[in-house]
Amino acid sequence: MKPQGFAEQLVAFTSARRMLPYQPGTHDCVTTAADWVLEIRGTDPIADIRGSWDSAEGAAAALEAQGGLIAAMDARFTRKPKAKAERGDLLLVKDAAGQPSLAICVGAHGWSPGPTEALLTPMRHVMLAWDV
């Protein structure tokens, strides 16, 4: 169950980060998703690995040490049917290069950091979802 007022927090969170450029380790799909969870839950789901990468290669290595992105997510969150994803949940989508990427459900789309501004992925392209 999401905390009361989370919808307003989600709008503020995504609005504040909409134009931030992608930056491994600070504004990438993993850190942004974790920052969202920290914002509404008060706990950092990647406290054990935060700050351990500053490049795409470093992120891949950190996630590989966790068993991969999906395993890392499954260890931290409860998976749910993608058709049941709600605003604020975390999603697995494919980025512009076709690579798995985390996004935050903002309604009919998944929101994630992009090269120069946020990307929106239609929910029909979501592969997996986790309850937040």
Side-chain angles (χ1 to χ4, degrees):
M1 180 174 201
K2 294 173 187 68
Q4 189 170 9
F6 88 92
E8 293 82 9
Q9 284 179 280
L10 180 59
V11 170
F13 181 88
T14 56
S15 294
R17 294 167 181 248
R18 186 174 71 87
M19 299 302 290
L20 291 177
Y22 184 89
Q23 179 64 46
T26 57
H27 189 62
D28 57 36
C29 71
V30 173
T31 56
T32 301
D35 288 348
W36 167 241
V37 173
L38 181 58
E39 172 97 9
I40 64 167
R41 293 283 183 215
T43 57
D44 186 356
I46 63 165
D48 57 328
I49 60 171
R50 187 181 288 273
S52 65
W53 68 88
D54 61 5
S55 66
E57 296 79 16
L63 291 170
E64 188 59 36
Q66 301 278 310
L69 178 59
I70 294 170
M73 291 297 293
D74 285 342
R76 291 163 170 84
F77 302 98
T78 301
R79 198 184 296 192
K80 66 192 303 184
K82 61 185 180 180
K84 301 259 184 202
E86 302 171 313
R87 290 184 68 189
D89 286 337
L90 299 180
L91 310 170
L92 184 70
V93 299
K94 285 191 179 178
D95 67 16
Q99 296 300 308
S101 180
L102 292 179
I104 302 166
C105 181
V106 293
H109 294 87
W111 181 99
S112 58
T116 58
E117 63 182 323
L119 303 174
L120 293 174
T121 303
M123 289 299 288
R124 69 180 177 275
H125 296 298
V126 169
M127 297 180 287
L128 297 171
W130 291 270
D131 189 41
V132 171

